[in-house]
Amino acid sequence: MSNFEKPVAVKGMNDLLPQDSALWEWLEGQVRSLMARYAYRNIRTPIVEKTPLFIRGLGEVTDIVEKEMYSFEDRLNGEQLTLRPEATAGVVRAVIEHSMLYDGGKRLYYMGPMFRHERPQRGRYRQFHQIGAEALGFPGPELDAELILMANNLWKELGLNNIRLEINSLGQPAERSAHRAALINYFEKNTEVLDEEAKRRLHANPLRILDTKNPAMQALVEAAPRLMDFLGVESLAHFEAIQSILSESGVAWTINPRLVRGMDYYNLTVFEFVTDELGSQGTICGGGRYDYLIEQIGGKSAPAVGWALGVERVLELVKSQASVSGVDSVPDAYAVIPDACALPLAMALLGQLRASGVSVQMHAASRGTDGMGSMKSQLKKADASRATYALIFGADELTRGMVTLKSLRAETGFQTEYRIDAAADLVSALKKHP
Ligand code: ATP
Ligand code: MG
């Protein structure tokens, strides 16, 4: 025994064991298929970016930048780095760095871990995973709608229901600043109701006060001046165009005037998909338009819109709502090898089978077993593997150049011999599942 304590993972960061991982892989497969059908292409950016990218991108007065980032100094060159808390800033950085918009807009998607120093609880972790889609270089409301419809179709394809769509428009910067002035004026007249956080945000980011979860401030926030009343014709037209597309596609939504979202970079459309079935962490996907972010980060001005979904939350919903079967892979065959002498021959044949698309789990001796283990114990393992067949490399058959294929699932439990040098016959037998 070692003198060290049993190692544990970092708080709020979870291992994904094979039985759970199977569902993740299934989800990722569903997403890849969906993205391909909408012609969104995969992008993978580094998990670490320079800290100023997030400060500039997300905004200084945001939960993420104020308190949730894992930032550190590169010990070798003193550079400030941050584990990405979200992926849009990194995607935009990559799009600028590689001049990806030179020949028109791009539709992209990503999947991967994000890091935020939050209080871990159900649906909220310090390493969590997002899948996101971004359409960059397109100004029209049809892209906002396409992204919303795409997410909505994902819920359908995953077998999910009871997810509602909330949308809002944050307008353009000029409209927002007129509203902002009205908002500051309103809150200043009511400072006695504001909590400390709200007071601090009053001049820096009054819009975020609307996002408060403090019950004592609800009435005040409810009656605050509405941004919608400050929107001009173009912003309203953009918002209405999205709604007519949604309605023609049979998608229901509600307008939530208090939907502002955590990042500063949004303008015009913002939206969230919410469920009541996950406790207080009910937002499974959020997004919106961010026409000024690319320029803000140092690129040539270009419009963009996107969303990100929380994988853990979506999968929790899948587990409670959908009946997903066949995601955990089981091998076609389990290779029973009673005598270690047969290993070279057996492994050569297994290699041929696998090259032809058959999945085979090879028996391997466990510590403490005498040799390879008895035929009986190996067949027990074969059964436990849930394989359809056992492929038995018994000494008798081998001397005759044969292997035995035994069904582990069929009622009749048939058993047939195949020639080792005719792997093709074996392959077609193995691909037939009784
Ligand atoms: P919340 O209000 O729940 O903190 P957010 O507005 O910070 O969410 P976004 O930054 O928009 O979330 O991220 C998009 C999605 O990623 C969220 O809707 C959620 O599903 C998921 N998500 C965000 N933070 C976490 C986290 N700490 N753990 C697990 N999932 C998360
Ligand atoms: Mg958050």
Side-chain angles (χ1 to χ4, degrees):
M1 285 295 280
S2 85
N3 295 323
F4 294 109
E5 276 179 43
K6 201 169 161 190
V8 292
V10 175
K11 187 176 175 199
M13 306 199 179
N14 302 309
D15 296 312
L16 251 183
L17 305 183
Q19 64 269 29
D20 295 321
S21 198
L23 196 63
W24 282 60
E25 290 194 313
W26 168 79
L27 172 69
E28 289 159 7
Q30 297 281 314
V31 168
R32 280 193 197 100
S33 147
L34 180 84
M35 294 294 171
R37 280 175 279 140
Y38 279 84
Y40 281 64
R41 301 178 69 202
N42 185 241
I43 182 164
R44 304 179 191 214
T45 62
I47 281 167
V48 180
E49 297 276 356
K50 299 179 183 185
T51 305
L53 175 72
F54 298 114
I55 298 178
R56 271 165 90 184
L58 276 54
E60 215 138 358
V61 194
T62 54
D63 281 349
I64 294 180
V65 171
E66 279 185 336
K67 50 194 183 205
E68 295 175 359
M69 295 204 302
Y70 281 94
S71 298
F72 57 96
E73 188 183 290
D74 183 323
R75 277 193 294 171
L76 296 181
N77 62 10
E79 194 163 39
Q80 287 300 318
L81 302 175
T82 294
L83 295 183
R84 64 181 186 194
E86 56 97 59
T88 301
V91 167
V92 166
R93 196 258 320 128
V95 161
I96 297 168
E97 188 167 341
H98 305 287
S99 310
M100 286 175 66
L101 298 182
Y102 81 97
D103 60 348
K106 291 286 173 291
R107 290 171 164 98
L108 305 171
Y109 78 94
Y110 59 81
M111 314 190 191
M114 309 296 157
F115 304 84
R116 296 184 192 175
H117 203 286
E118 304 196 69
R119 193 170 65 79
Q121 54 195 291
R122 179 184 182 197
R124 193 175 292 286
Y125 311 98
R126 290 182 174 172
Q127 175 176 330
F128 64 101
H129 297 76
Q130 285 185 339
I131 293 173
E134 319 275 5
L136 305 107
F138 305 104
E142 62 276 16
L143 270 299
D144 312 42
E146 176 176 275
L147 279 156
I148 293 172
L149 292 172
M150 183 164 73
N152 197 68
N153 280 331
L154 181 61
W155 317 141
K156 275 197 213 152
E157 293 181 9
L158 298 179
L160 299 179
N161 43 52
N162 292 334
I163 296 170
R164 59 176 192 278
L165 167 62
E166 299 187 350
I167 63 174
N168 190 22
S169 177
L170 302 181
Q172 297 292 10
E175 296 155 356
R176 277 164 86 165
S177 55
H179 171 246
R180 187 189 138 107
L183 213 50
I184 293 177
N185 188 28
Y186 170 79
F187 285 130
E188 272 175 343
K189 287 191 189 131
N190 295 282
T191 40
E192 68 287 353
V193 193
L194 300 180
D195 60 18
E196 282 315 305
E197 190 176 38
K199 278 180 189 151
R200 197 165 45 80
R201 284 181 164 164
L202 178 53
H203 292 276
N205 199 344
L207 209 64
R208 296 280 288 133
I209 300 178
L210 300 177
D211 212 14
T212 182
K213 298 195 168 91
N214 183 351
M217 288 172 54
Q218 291 309 313
L220 181 73
V221 159
E222 215 75 63
R226 293 189 162 206
L227 176 56
M228 202 59 73
D229 300 327
F230 290 78
L231 297 191
V233 271
E234 280 188 29
S235 294
L236 287 172
H238 192 275
F239 196 40
E240 273 148 24
I242 295 169
Q243 295 175 64
S244 14
I245 298 172
L246 294 181
S247 109
E248 191 66 32
S249 292
V251 174
W253 74 91
T254 54
I255 295 178
N256 175 358
R258 291 176 52 198
L259 184 61
V260 295
R261 310 227 357 99
M263 274 70 94
D264 271 1
Y265 52 59
Y266 292 109
N267 70 301
L268 291 175
T269 327
V270 286
F271 55 89
E272 283 186 355
F273 287 93
V274 189
T275 171
D276 294 325
E277 297 177 23
L278 294 177
S280 47
Q281 268 59 252
T283 304
I284 59 168
C285 176
R289 187 159 270 286
Y290 53 93
D291 293 334
Y292 304 96
L293 180 65
I294 299 178
E295 192 172 20
Q296 172 105 8
I297 286 178
K300 187 160 157 274
S301 170
V305 52
W307 53 247
L309 66 79
V311 174
E312 286 83 356
R313 295 184 195 178
V314 167
L315 284 180
E316 203 185 327
L317 211 53
V318 167
K319 280 189 216 157
S320 72
Q321 285 188 357
S323 57
V324 183
S325 61
V327 297
D328 206 358
S329 61
V330 294
D332 297 316
Y334 187 100
V336 171
I337 308 168
D339 190 337
C341 299
L343 277 168
L345 194 99
M347 291 179 80
L349 180 65
L350 298 188
Q352 283 177 279
L353 299 182
R354 289 166 179 146
S356 305
V358 173
S359 64
V360 197
Q361 180 174 340
M362 183 181 74
H363 179 78
S366 308
R367 199 171 58 167
T369 336
D370 190 16
M372 294 292 283
S374 69
M375 173 82 95
K376 195 173 156 215
S377 73
Q378 290 197 29
L379 279 168
K380 247 192 196 159
K381 289 258 168 66
D383 229 14
S385 77
R386 296 190 287 149
T388 315
Y389 297 98
L391 187 60
I392 306 169
F393 293 83
D396 286 356
E397 302 98 293
L398 288 183
T399 52
R400 285 182 280 113
M402 310 291 275
V403 283
T404 299
L405 187 67
K406 177 177 157 52
S407 167
L408 298 172
R409 298 285 159 260
E411 294 294 323
T412 50
F414 71 86
Q415 173 161 329
T416 324
E417 290 192 356
Y418 284 86
R419 294 196 57 80
I420 289 176
D421 57 12
D425 295 346
L426 196 50
V427 167
S428 44
L430 279 162
K431 283 187 174 168
K432 261 186 252 135
H433 283 201

